[in-house]
Amino acid sequence: MSLGILGAAIACGLAAVGAGIGNGLVVGRTVEGIARQPEARGMLQTMMFVGIALVEALPIIAVVIGFMVLNR
């Protein structure tokens, strides 16, 4: 059982790190795009929120898989 807990913890931790890096890239590129073309701000922000939602799906899936491993 302890290896299952360790595997779930590693999966959740790596997913959180990946999501943090992904969110940083998405937001950084959006700010860069707004700085280059301020008139496209609304469209870029909408696309940013969609991108962040897709990036945040990864840690949620990792937590679900972690719970599945624990309850095996």
Side-chain angles (χ1 to χ4, degrees), residues 10-13 33 42 59 72:
I10 289 173
C12 292
R72 199 168 203 220

Side-chain angles (χ1 to χ4, degrees), residues 30-47:
T30 302
V31 170
E32 187 177 309
I34 291 171
R36 289 177 186 262
Q37 285 188 323
E39 65 274 4
R41 180 179 182 198
M43 185 181 65
L44 289 173
Q45 280 185 337
T46 302
M47 296 292 284

